[in-house]
Amino acid sequence: MNLDIMTQQSGEWLRGGGPDSDIVISSRIRLARNLSSFPFANRASAHQKAEIEHFLRDRLAKFDFLPKLHYLNLAQLSPLDRQLLVERQMISRELANAEGPRGVAVSDGETISVMLNEEDHLRLQVLRSGFSLDECWQEIDRLDDAVEQKVNYAFSEEFGYLTACPTNVGTGMRSSVMLHLPALVLKKEIEKVFRALQKINLAVRGLYGEGSRASGDFYQISNQVTLGKSETTILAEIRNVIPQIIAYERQARQALTRESRHQLQDKIQRAFGTLKSATMMTSEETMDLLSSVRLGVNLNLLEDVDIGAVNELFIHTQPAHLQKLVGQSLDGEERNSARARYLRSRLTGTQLN
Amino acid sequence: MTNDEKEFRVKNCQSCGQPATVHVTNIVSGQKREMHLCQACSEKQQILKNQELNLSVILQTMIGQHVGATSDELARLTCPACGIKYMEFKAEGRLGCPRDYQVFQKALEPLLQRIHRAMRHVGKIPPHATRNAAVQSELMDLRQKLREAIDVEAYEEAARLRDLIREKEGHG
């Protein structure tokens, strides 16, 4: 798998298709699994971790599964390449920054990733475009069964799949849906959504797992409870709440276009204008402005801008992607100017120099 | 421009003296500590990464608070398979091996009840699971012995142990 080629394409989850794709970006499920006869990764010696990585990599190589998985040895990749995989949501930041033997198997199309030696020996993930939790579950259930044919999972009848952290024990499942909620942020109603979700034990985090202030107005809604509820129940709880948040965001968008259309139009045009003409651009400002542009396209307040291209820019302007795209390593200031240049070229159709 | 922003304008990087662009305020046990750095130095020190919500710290606090005063009996508990002490789990928030769920069961159940509002698994059962906990920890013991045998270059013993592990793993 060539990471430079990967950079120029976008993963399936960024395709931006499917119903409600103006609000729902992607759906994701991950399963935490451990081998029965090894200590958990945090307690394993360097030698044991190498043994675990070798054992699992070997099993995955003999894997009779489609789509085909490609293995990347993370200990041998550069920090930039690891950061690229974080930005593409193929590995966690923790795994990228960890030390010792560790790896990830990524499928064609980047819908599947299998992390080795993260907090748990195995972290299986399925990531898809749009509101597609059921498809994610079917895929990851099939993947999980296929892995389990090759290895012995740590499992107990009482506690389910045994994990290094007791917050994941049971199903080991974290399922999440990523939403773009700019109107709720603009109307300052996002906090209300947070509080309501917390009451029903769902967690809200940003695009890359950050806390309260999510960049680009992207929010991931996920389950916290993994024990005492079946996978089906957990998925149904999330599935049932998402349409309500979608309706709430749509309501907020309508209210904005009705009550403050001119201010909204001005905000969107200014965002677009800045992205097309600025000469220095931080990642954070880019995310904020792209969020306004995305809202503008979805409300038909901006014409001739392709939503797929906007979705892609959110990822392509992240530090590692940007450096890969321009083909050299850049420090903070250089990145800001390269980012502005890249945005100008993509949004005005001029050549990247 | 707010007062805060004005104040930031005049700060220089504490590390190299260049104009600071990263401003961090940490509040640790009520003590406020400010840091001003330029982009390059902040990246070097990975300041921004550390500012992110640290779930494991939150969890540790929660586990610590929950477990509260640890009884002598609990404090002495050690897992025979991986060697982790209950006190270490309490401090780190991570268990050492699958066997710990059995060894520390009494202490874990109230914690699980608090985290998940449940104590028993309801959900998927691995279709090929036939191993019980005893076989699992036996396998772990065997791997440990294998490691020791290799360390002291007892290769015949190591080969015997390796075959035994393969046999016990069955389809592994």
Side-chain angles (χ1 to χ4, degrees), chain A residues 118-252:
Chain A
E118 219 260 14
E119 181 182 293
D120 296 296
H121 298 146
L122 284 152
R123 285 274 173 103
L124 317 178
Q125 173 187 279
V126 170
L127 177 62
R128 285 179 170 274
S129 188
F131 189 16
S132 49
L133 280 178
D134 291 334
E135 290 85 344
C136 287
W137 170 248
Q138 280 158 19
E139 180 90 331
I140 206 161
D141 190 31
R142 188 172 69 93
L143 175 70
D144 185 40
D145 288 351
V147 174
E148 207 250 333
Q149 275 192 356
K150 306 272 181 195
V151 307
N152 287 316
Y153 280 157
F155 179 86
S156 92
E157 278 181 23
E158 293 172 292
F159 300 119
Y161 294 92
L162 304 177
T163 54
C165 184
T167 51
N168 296 319
V169 77
T171 59
M173 181 176 82
R174 194 81 59 207
S175 48
S176 62
V177 176
M178 187 157 68
L179 304 174
H180 187 223
L181 304 174
L184 287 173
V185 174
L186 278 174
K187 287 191 63 81
K188 302 193 169 33
E189 286 179 24
I190 197 81
E191 288 290 331
K192 259 193 248 171
V193 177
F194 284 8
R195 283 197 297 271
L197 289 171
Q198 268 155 14
K199 271 190 199 146
I200 54 170
N201 266 316
L202 296 179
V204 186
R205 300 183 315 152
L207 172 57
Y208 291 108
E210 65 272 37
S212 50
R213 175 75 180 88
S215 75
D217 305 319
F218 291 111
Y219 293 91
Q220 289 187 68
I221 293 161
S222 59
N223 65 298
Q224 279 179 306
V225 168
T226 55
L227 186 68
K229 285 179 186 176
S230 71
E231 290 82 355
T232 324
T233 308
I234 295 169
L235 288 170
E237 283 176 358
I238 298 183
R239 204 192 303 109
N240 294 340
V241 82
I242 298 295
Q244 295 177 43
I245 303 172
I246 293 173
Y248 201 27
E249 167 71 16
R250 282 205 207 293
Q251 221 176 352

Side-chain angles (χ1 to χ4, degrees), chain A residues 268-337:
Chain A
I268 290 162
Q269 290 294 349
R270 275 170 189 269
F272 194 45
T274 307
L275 288 168
K276 281 195 297 187
S277 58
T279 57
M280 294 283 277
M281 193 66 87
T282 64
S283 175
E284 205 183 325
E285 188 181 6
T286 306
M287 296 288 277
D288 276 354
L289 298 176
L290 282 173
S291 175
S292 294
V293 167
R294 191 174 193 280
L295 178 65
V297 176
N298 283 327
L299 290 176
N300 295 318
L301 295 172
L302 266 183
E303 284 166 10
D304 299 329
V305 184
D306 173 39
I307 193 73
V310 175
N311 286 347
E312 194 176 81
L313 282 176
F314 279 106
I315 301 299
H316 277 185
T317 55
Q318 298 288 325
H321 273 79
L322 191 68
Q323 293 176 71
K324 283 275 181 185
L325 287 165
V326 302
Q328 58 187 38
S329 107
L330 305 166
D331 71 21
E333 290 239 317
E334 292 169 336
R335 273 212 296 277
N336 292 344
S337 109

